[in-house]
Amino acid sequence: NEHYPFVNPPLPYAYDALEPFIDTKTMCLHHDRHLQTYVNNLNETLKGWCDLHDWSLEKLICNADCLPEVIRQSIKNNGGGVYNHIFYFNGMSDLESRSNAGMLFSAILEDFGSIDSFFQEFKNKALSVFGSGYAWLVLERGSGLKLVTSANQDTPIVKNLCPIATIDVWEHAYYLKHYNQRAAYIDDWFQVVDWCYANELYMKYK
Ligand code: MN3
């Protein structure tokens, strides 16, 4: 498990791999500047707190409310920023195999009726985020698949939900290409979701 000092892992594909759906410049800035800043700020926050240097990212995020008040909000914002961005980037792919979602598609059909109605519900959820945040497909153990949103850099793992897929709907994720058209960005994001990866997570948590 990764711990302090945290690093910004390279994208699992080229910066231009998601063209024409997600543009190269957005991917460069989003990964090299936005995510890098969260990594730097998280490390800076943790620097003097040696007791926390062997804590994993997930442990820091899930126990943030028990941490000293002077670092609590920074751990939530920057730890969440690191976790959410890595999850978002890993969840996209340029491969055709991304359409092969195995058991996850069966579960989606069961819980949402059809792939189309799932997309529509996911889209509405992502459009409903006011300001900055994320929309997530999560697995609630013992219950099933659910769509949830999170504000800013909050993450569903603090609510004991298992993330399967996410879309970053902060404006920096789409403004250069889609301007203020979040709906168009969501449509494009659906084209590059790595359903193989999502299915692996689903099978792991199930
Ligand atoms: Mn972002």
Side-chain angles (χ1 to χ4, degrees):
N1 241 335
E2 313 229 325
H3 55 77
Y4 177 91
F6 291 97
V7 296
N8 184 357
L11 289 175
Y13 38 75
Y15 290 102
D16 63 358
L18 308 180
E19 292 273 8
F21 304 106
I22 315 262
D23 62 289
T24 307
K25 190 168 187 185
T26 294
M27 291 304 291
C28 287
L29 294 171
H30 204 172
H31 177 272
D32 294 3
R33 299 204 194 183
H34 289 274
L35 174 50
Q36 187 66 53
T37 300
Y38 286 113
V39 170
N40 295 348
N41 289 344
L42 178 60
N43 287 333
E44 188 60 31
T45 301
L46 288 168
K47 200 160 71 177
W49 299 85
C50 301
D51 290 355
L52 303 176
H53 286 183
D54 62 348
W55 282 33
S56 70
L57 188 55
E58 287 82 353
K59 186 174 176 185
L60 286 164
I61 292 169
C62 291
N63 295 284
D65 280 329
C66 311
L67 295 176
E69 210 174 336
V70 287
I71 57 169
R72 189 180 302 159
Q73 196 58 45
S74 178
I75 298 288
K76 286 186 188 182
N77 293 346
N78 295 297
V82 174
Y83 180 89
N84 291 344
H85 280 103
I86 292 174
F87 195 93
Y88 167 72
F89 290 136
N90 285 345
M92 298 185 287
S93 168
D94 60 333
L95 301 172
E96 284 305 317
S97 61
R98 65 192 174 211
S99 59
N100 177 10
M103 293 297 289
L104 176 58
F105 263 21
S106 308
I108 286 174
L109 290 176
E110 198 163 302
D111 290 2
F112 297 90
S114 70
I115 298 300
D116 281 351
S117 56
F118 165 72
F119 279 166
Q120 198 52 54
E121 277 190 51
F122 199 114
K123 186 174 182 177
N124 290 341
K125 209 71 182 170
L127 287 170
S128 79
V129 176
F130 183 76
S132 297
Y134 295 75
W136 305 77
L137 173 66
V138 298
L139 179 67
E140 186 171 42
R141 283 205 183 87
S143 171
L145 295 169
K146 284 178 74 170
L147 298 174
V148 298
T149 62
S150 63
N152 301 312
Q153 296 297 355
D154 291 349
T155 102
I157 60 172
V158 299
K159 294 175 181 163
N160 211 19
L161 299 169
C162 308
I164 305 293
T166 194
I167 182 171
D168 182 344
V169 292
W170 285 57
E171 279 189 345
H172 65 235
Y174 61 92
Y175 203 85
L176 292 181
K177 178 179 166 69
H178 300 91
Y179 304 110
N180 61 334
Q181 304 298 317
R182 188 188 288 180
Y185 160 64
I186 298 166
D187 289 341
D188 276 346
W189 174 79
F190 279 141
Q191 302 298 315
V192 294
V193 174
D194 187 339
W195 288 110
C196 272
Y197 180 74
N199 187 53
E200 279 170 29
L201 293 171
Y202 176 71
M203 297 306 287
K204 185 177 94 177
Y205 292 135
K206 197 165 77 78

